[in-house]
Amino acid sequence: MKKYIPLFLLVFLASASITLAQSNDISPARKQAIDSLALEKVKDLSKYISIIGSKETQFSEANRVMDRAEELFAPDAEMGVSSINRKEIAYYKVRRYFERLMALNYDRVNITWYDIHYISDLERQPDGRYVGVVTVYQRFEGTSLESGLNYRDTTKKDITIYVEKKQTQIAGRTIEFWDVMLGDIRVTETSA
């Protein structure tokens, strides 16, 4: 019997490590919920950008919306800015992007996002996080009434999505949950 104890321990440890590894995997139902949450956060960002960019939005309201929008992002995320008038793509930290958007020199700004969908499935990374990419098309229209200047472009953007397991305390109990954060937003093409 004693000679079977090490074998029993080895089998127990192997099954425990398999169970632990599986607990970090995402079930198909959970993945569908995470995909929905990621797309919802992208749609929220679309609404926030539209509000921040609108010249009708009060300064205090735009700042409140910027704070909310920043909460959607992973630390140090950057957003790309392009123009049909130049080849270079500039990247700004999220808050700086919002500040520049709010300060655009147009009398009217209209920004709409459409055709939002995943272009890469969530893939597990060595650090345990999952990473995917959502693509969106952004239609930008800026109008200056005094000069009659109108600018329009359509930009295809890829948004990195991070999914990681987090913990929170509720009534003294530790609860684990999967959270979705937006990462860098890269410009892939810009057209008139």
Side-chain angles (χ1 to χ4, degrees):
M1 182 72 177
K2 285 187 178 181
K3 67 181 180 179
Y4 294 112
I5 291 176
L7 181 61
F8 174 74
L9 284 174
L10 182 63
V11 169
F12 174 77
L13 290 174
S15 66
S17 65
I18 290 170
T19 302
L20 183 60
Q22 288 174 344
S23 71
N24 284 330
D25 287 342
I26 298 176
S27 70
R30 175 74 60 203
K31 184 189 172 308
Q32 186 174 6
I34 288 169
D35 287 348
S36 294
L37 178 59
L39 292 174
E40 192 63 37
K41 286 193 174 192
V42 170
K43 289 176 185 173
D44 286 346
L45 177 62
S46 169
K47 289 181 226 165
Y48 294 154
I49 285 175
S50 181
I51 292 168
I52 294 166
S54 173
K55 296 301 175 181
E56 296 171 8
T57 304
Q58 297 290 323
F59 181 79
S60 59
E61 175 67 3
N63 273 302
R64 187 188 68 75
V65 172
M66 280 192 269
D67 292 341
R68 293 288 307 270
E70 273 188 296
E71 293 172 1
L72 298 173
F73 286 89
D76 298 322
E78 294 183 330
M79 298 178 75
V81 175
S82 63
S83 170
I84 55 175
N85 298 325
R86 66 179 190 277
K87 288 188 177 207
E88 301 84 29
I89 298 170
Y91 286 92
Y92 299 97
K93 297 293 183 194
V94 171
R95 185 65 178 212
R96 183 72 184 123
Y97 169 85
F98 292 142
E99 291 167 348
R100 289 176 51 84
L101 178 62
M102 192 168 66
L104 287 174
N105 198 17
Y106 292 105
D107 294 310
R108 275 197 302 258
V109 172
N110 186 30
I111 303 168
T112 53
W113 283 15
Y114 61 94
D115 199 13
I116 301 169
H117 61 277
Y118 268 99
I119 59 168
S120 80
D121 206 11
L122 293 174
E123 292 183 19
R124 188 179 176 117
Q125 303 301 301
D127 64 1
R129 291 192 304 179
Y130 286 82
V131 177
V133 177
V134 169
T135 192
V136 302
Y137 288 86
Q138 175 181 287
R139 181 74 177 156
F140 177 91
E141 298 175 359
T143 305
S144 181
L145 299 176
E146 188 175 303
S147 67
L149 177 69
N150 290 321
Y151 176 85
R152 290 187 180 120
D153 73 21
T154 300
T155 307
K156 181 180 177 190
K157 298 185 174 192
D158 289 343
I159 305 171
T160 304
I161 304 294
Y162 296 106
V163 179
E164 59 186 53
K165 194 171 263 191
K166 293 187 176 178
Q167 295 181 343
T168 189
Q169 293 281 332
I170 299 176
R173 294 183 54 194
T174 300
I175 307 294
E176 288 189 337
F177 64 98
W178 289 99
D179 193 21
V180 175
M181 300 295 287
L182 305 182
D184 291 341
I185 299 182
R186 300 280 173 207
V187 172
T188 58
E189 67 184 60
T190 303
S191 59

